[in-house]
Amino acid sequence: MVSESTPSGLAVEENPGAAPRPVRQKVFSGIQPTGNFHLGNYLGAIRNWVAQQSEYDNIFCVVDLHALSQTTSRDTLRENNRNLANMLLASGLDPAQSIIFIQSDVREHTELCWLLSSVTMDGELRRMTQFKDKAGGRGERVSSALLFYPVLQAADILLYDTNLVPVGEDQKQHIELTRDIGARFNARYGETFVLPQPDIKANGARIMSLEDPTKKMSKSDASPNASIALTDDPDTIRRKIRRAVTDSGTEVVAAPDKPALTNLLTIYSLLSNEPIAALEERYAGKGYGAFKTDLAEVVVAAMAPIQARLADLDANPDAARAILSDGADRARARAIFKMAEVRDRMGIGLG
Ligand code: ATP
Ligand code: LTN
């Protein structure tokens, strides 16, 4: 059934004969197991997932099939899947409040991906910024998985009647395409999919590289000093922040012509829950050195509880396995139900 989002954050499902019952909005988001989970992923996405968990009906997914567009080693992918699952749990995702699972465990994602490709234009996929960035002029040597990536992402989202997709800024275009694909399907076959809204926060949606504040902090950056991994030990964090590039001048202020300081102040502000203006005031006239020393300690303190939980989870691999298996069962039950509707709408099989 299609439910409409309301500004109150609640969706109202029709139920003939009964008073309308508010139901929680459905949230879906995914993250690729492609290597070192970094502060940008945490501040732009996962921290928000955790903070909003109790408000919504949530599904969070380790999108290993998406990672196949970049990862070619079997062992690396397995290891990344396990590490990311543990990291999500260590960051505070709670299986009592959220369904957490591995994408490839629910085959309906790939099936819907194929079906949606019939309402997706080749030109739309070639225009995606992420495709253009990652394909980077490699022409014929780019896998078609990289091109198809947003169709699979649309399938992930549309499969679960998702209202809200909490992501970083870089994913906005993919969510817009998801809406276009869903709307086109609905126009052709009748109302089937809920059209999702991106949930992108004003702060933290685009944490920048520590070495080049014009580029986003990215898992695929070749330089380890460009990002802070959530697993970095305190000394590594201190060293990376000490050597992070700054802007010309000496004042600790956020401004359009000070992208490096703006980025560092954003990180500080989000992790300490203090407004940027208060930090600017505190460090007025103190220079970059004192600011960076304190920032490093703020980051170290924020990572400590996550790293402690991660150590426990790493020591007990069966814990995550059971949670993910249960998550896949719960996600599959919803996905099978939706796919029956989609197949029928499209006239697949004998009916
Ligand atoms: P890659 O750079 O290899 O594409 P990634 O670091 O972007 O990887 P993803 O798995 O693609 O990681 O993204 C997971 C989530 O983290 C997404 O919601 C994405 O928008 C968010 N995210 C990624 N990088 C940043 C960043 N620098 N700032 C804020 N959010 C980010
Ligand atoms: N492309 C996303 C990962 C992703 C995703 C999703 C995010 C795959 N499927 C569904 C939100 C909803 C990225 O972050 N790079």
Side-chain angles (χ1 to χ4, degrees), residues 203-219:
N203 289 320
R206 196 166 163 81
I207 299 295
M208 310 309 278
S209 153
L210 298 182
E211 291 190 318
D212 177 356
T214 63
K215 280 187 357 196
K216 75 160 194 153
M217 190 177 281
S218 164
K219 284 195 229 131

PDB file of all heavy atoms in Angstrom, residues 203-219:
ATOM      1  N   ASN A 203      24.552  20.008   8.484  1.00  0.00           N
ATOM      2  CA  ASN A 203      25.967  19.937   8.878  1.00  0.00           C
ATOM      3  C   ASN A 203      26.484  18.513   8.818  1.00  0.00           C
ATOM      4  O   ASN A 203      25.806  17.596   9.260  1.00  0.00           O
ATOM      5  CB  ASN A 203      26.149  20.443  10.315  1.00  0.00           C
ATOM      6  CG  ASN A 203      25.942  21.930  10.391  1.00  0.00           C
ATOM      7  OD1 ASN A 203      26.380  22.667   9.510  1.00  0.00           O
ATOM      8  ND2 ASN A 203      25.246  22.371  11.420  1.00  0.00           N
ATOM      9  N   GLY A 204      27.684  18.366   8.296  1.00  0.00           N
ATOM     10  CA  GLY A 204      28.319  17.042   8.319  1.00  0.00           C
ATOM     11  C   GLY A 204      28.024  16.214   7.097  1.00  0.00           C
ATOM     12  O   GLY A 204      28.557  15.122   6.946  1.00  0.00           O
ATOM     13  N   ALA A 205      27.171  16.735   6.185  1.00  0.00           N
ATOM     14  CA  ALA A 205      26.782  15.926   5.027  1.00  0.00           C
ATOM     15  C   ALA A 205      27.930  15.797   4.031  1.00  0.00           C
ATOM     16  O   ALA A 205      27.879  14.964   3.127  1.00  0.00           O
ATOM     17  CB  ALA A 205      25.566  16.533   4.354  1.00  0.00           C
ATOM     18  N   ARG A 206      28.949  16.635   4.199  1.00  0.00           N
ATOM     19  CA  ARG A 206      30.083  16.556   3.283  1.00  0.00           C
ATOM     20  C   ARG A 206      31.368  16.894   4.051  1.00  0.00           C
ATOM     21  O   ARG A 206      31.812  18.047   4.076  1.00  0.00           O
ATOM     22  CB  ARG A 206      29.862  17.525   2.117  1.00  0.00           C
ATOM     23  CG  ARG A 206      30.746  17.255   0.949  1.00  0.00           C
ATOM     24  CD  ARG A 206      30.258  18.019  -0.288  1.00  0.00           C
ATOM     25  NE  ARG A 206      31.318  18.078  -1.284  1.00  0.00           N
ATOM     26  CZ  ARG A 206      31.611  17.090  -2.122  1.00  0.00           C
ATOM     27  NH1 ARG A 206      30.914  15.978  -2.105  1.00  0.00           N
ATOM     28  NH2 ARG A 206      32.596  17.207  -2.984  1.00  0.00           N
ATOM     29  N   ILE A 207      31.915  15.904   4.709  1.00  0.00           N
ATOM     30  CA  ILE A 207      33.191  16.074   5.417  1.00  0.00           C
ATOM     31  C   ILE A 207      34.294  15.962   4.363  1.00  0.00           C
ATOM     32  O   ILE A 207      34.260  15.074   3.510  1.00  0.00           O
ATOM     33  CB  ILE A 207      33.347  14.980   6.514  1.00  0.00           C
ATOM     34  CG1 ILE A 207      32.219  15.093   7.563  1.00  0.00           C
ATOM     35  CG2 ILE A 207      34.725  15.053   7.170  1.00  0.00           C
ATOM     36  CD1 ILE A 207      32.204  16.358   8.386  1.00  0.00           C
ATOM     37  N   MET A 208      35.240  16.891   4.440  1.00  0.00           N
ATOM     38  CA  MET A 208      36.232  16.967   3.370  1.00  0.00           C
ATOM     39  C   MET A 208      37.531  16.257   3.748  1.00  0.00           C
ATOM     40  O   MET A 208      37.816  15.999   4.924  1.00  0.00           O
ATOM     41  CB  MET A 208      36.514  18.444   3.025  1.00  0.00           C
ATOM     42  CG  MET A 208      35.253  19.271   2.776  1.00  0.00           C
ATOM     43  SD  MET A 208      34.113  18.540   1.583  1.00  0.00           S
ATOM     44  CE  MET A 208      34.845  19.062   0.071  1.00  0.00           C
ATOM     45  N   SER A 209      38.324  15.980   2.715  1.00  0.00           N
ATOM     46  CA  SER A 209      39.638  15.353   2.909  1.00  0.00           C
ATOM     47  C   SER A 209      40.525  16.246   3.777  1.00  0.00           C
ATOM     48  O   SER A 209      40.494  17.471   3.654  1.00  0.00           O
ATOM     49  CB  SER A 209      40.272  15.153   1.525  1.00  0.00           C
ATOM     50  OG  SER A 209      41.676  15.158   1.623  1.00  0.00           O
ATOM     51  N   LEU A 210      41.334  15.649   4.642  1.00  0.00           N
ATOM     52  CA  LEU A 210      42.243  16.433   5.488  1.00  0.00           C
ATOM     53  C   LEU A 210      43.418  16.966   4.683  1.00  0.00           C
ATOM     54  O   LEU A 210      44.121  17.867   5.116  1.00  0.00           O
ATOM     55  CB  LEU A 210      42.778  15.575   6.639  1.00  0.00           C
ATOM     56  CG  LEU A 210      41.743  15.026   7.619  1.00  0.00           C
ATOM     57  CD1 LEU A 210      42.441  14.248   8.730  1.00  0.00           C
ATOM     58  CD2 LEU A 210      40.879  16.143   8.207  1.00  0.00           C
ATOM     59  N   GLU A 211      43.638  16.383   3.514  1.00  0.00           N
ATOM     60  CA  GLU A 211      44.775  16.837   2.694  1.00  0.00           C
ATOM     61  C   GLU A 211      44.362  17.799   1.591  1.00  0.00           C
ATOM     62  O   GLU A 211      45.187  18.554   1.094  1.00  0.00           O
ATOM     63  CB  GLU A 211      45.461  15.621   2.054  1.00  0.00           C
ATOM     64  CG  GLU A 211      46.166  14.764   3.083  1.00  0.00           C
ATOM     65  CD  GLU A 211      47.037  13.711   2.438  1.00  0.00           C
ATOM     66  OE1 GLU A 211      46.587  13.107   1.447  1.00  0.00           O
ATOM     67  OE2 GLU A 211      48.161  13.516   2.929  1.00  0.00           O
ATOM     68  N   ASP A 212      43.093  17.716   1.200  1.00  0.00           N
ATOM     69  CA  ASP A 212      42.605  18.598   0.144  1.00  0.00           C
ATOM     70  C   ASP A 212      41.137  18.923   0.431  1.00  0.00           C
ATOM     71  O   ASP A 212      40.238  18.141   0.095  1.00  0.00           O
ATOM     72  CB  ASP A 212      42.747  17.899  -1.224  1.00  0.00           C
ATOM     73  CG  ASP A 212      42.180  18.751  -2.341  1.00  0.00           C
ATOM     74  OD1 ASP A 212      41.625  19.831  -2.054  1.00  0.00           O
ATOM     75  OD2 ASP A 212      42.293  18.319  -3.505  1.00  0.00           O
ATOM     76  N   PRO A 213      40.889  20.086   1.067  1.00  0.00           N
ATOM     77  CA  PRO A 213      39.517  20.391   1.514  1.00  0.00           C
ATOM     78  C   PRO A 213      38.552  20.711   0.376  1.00  0.00           C
ATOM     79  O   PRO A 213      37.404  21.079   0.630  1.00  0.00           O
ATOM     80  CB  PRO A 213      39.709  21.607   2.432  1.00  0.00           C
ATOM     81  CG  PRO A 213      40.986  22.210   2.007  1.00  0.00           C
ATOM     82  CD  PRO A 213      41.861  21.118   1.468  1.00  0.00           C
ATOM     83  N   THR A 214      38.986  20.546  -0.874  1.00  0.00           N
ATOM     84  CA  THR A 214      38.037  20.706  -1.979  1.00  0.00           C
ATOM     85  C   THR A 214      37.487  19.337  -2.400  1.00  0.00           C
ATOM     86  O   THR A 214      36.601  19.247  -3.232  1.00  0.00           O
ATOM     87  CB  THR A 214      38.700  21.378  -3.206  1.00  0.00           C
ATOM     88  OG1 THR A 214      39.743  20.520  -3.683  1.00  0.00           O
ATOM     89  CG2 THR A 214      39.286  22.742  -2.848  1.00  0.00           C
ATOM     90  N   LYS A 215      38.062  18.251  -1.818  1.00  0.00           N
ATOM     91  CA  LYS A 215      37.597  16.891  -2.152  1.00  0.00           C
ATOM     92  C   LYS A 215      36.922  16.270  -0.937  1.00  0.00           C
ATOM     93  O   LYS A 215      37.362  16.490   0.191  1.00  0.00           O
ATOM     94  CB  LYS A 215      38.813  15.991  -2.478  1.00  0.00           C
ATOM     95  CG  LYS A 215      39.341  16.173  -3.873  1.00  0.00           C
ATOM     96  CD  LYS A 215      40.437  15.167  -4.242  1.00  0.00           C
ATOM     97  CE  LYS A 215      40.922  14.189  -3.208  1.00  0.00           C
ATOM     98  NZ  LYS A 215      42.213  13.549  -3.566  1.00  0.00           N
ATOM     99  N   LYS A 216      35.891  15.415  -1.146  1.00  0.00           N
ATOM    100  CA  LYS A 216      35.255  14.797   0.021  1.00  0.00           C
ATOM    101  C   LYS A 216      36.172  13.724   0.624  1.00  0.00           C
ATOM    102  O   LYS A 216      36.969  13.102  -0.094  1.00  0.00           O
ATOM    103  CB  LYS A 216      33.876  14.230  -0.316  1.00  0.00           C
ATOM    104  CG  LYS A 216      33.888  12.947  -1.107  1.00  0.00           C
ATOM    105  CD  LYS A 216      32.549  12.209  -0.977  1.00  0.00           C
ATOM    106  CE  LYS A 216      32.717  10.778  -1.484  1.00  0.00           C
ATOM    107  NZ  LYS A 216      31.841   9.800  -0.930  1.00  0.00           N
ATOM    108  N   MET A 217      36.063  13.552   1.922  1.00  0.00           N
ATOM    109  CA  MET A 217      36.771  12.446   2.567  1.00  0.00           C
ATOM    110  C   MET A 217      36.181  11.167   1.976  1.00  0.00           C
ATOM    111  O   MET A 217      34.956  11.015   1.940  1.00  0.00           O
ATOM    112  CB  MET A 217      36.555  12.513   4.079  1.00  0.00           C
ATOM    113  CG  MET A 217      37.418  11.573   4.867  1.00  0.00           C
ATOM    114  SD  MET A 217      37.192  11.732   6.674  1.00  0.00           S
ATOM    115  CE  MET A 217      38.148  13.180   7.069  1.00  0.00           C
ATOM    116  N   SER A 218      37.038  10.274   1.490  1.00  0.00           N
ATOM    117  CA  SER A 218      36.518   9.130   0.739  1.00  0.00           C
ATOM    118  C   SER A 218      37.282   7.856   1.070  1.00  0.00           C
ATOM    119  O   SER A 218      38.496   7.873   1.266  1.00  0.00           O
ATOM    120  CB  SER A 218      36.653   9.456  -0.751  1.00  0.00           C
ATOM    121  OG  SER A 218      36.515   8.297  -1.522  1.00  0.00           O
ATOM    122  N   LYS A 219      36.536   6.745   1.099  1.00  0.00           N
ATOM    123  CA  LYS A 219      37.175   5.453   1.356  1.00  0.00           C
ATOM    124  C   LYS A 219      38.148   5.111   0.248  1.00  0.00           C
ATOM    125  O   LYS A 219      39.102   4.374   0.450  1.00  0.00           O
ATOM    126  CB  LYS A 219      36.115   4.355   1.412  1.00  0.00           C
ATOM    127  CG  LYS A 219      35.336   4.329   2.683  1.00  0.00           C
ATOM    128  CD  LYS A 219      34.605   3.002   2.777  1.00  0.00           C
ATOM    129  CE  LYS A 219      33.143   3.220   3.110  1.00  0.00           C
ATOM    130  NZ  LYS A 219      32.235   2.505   2.256  1.00  0.00           N
TER     131      LYS A 219
END
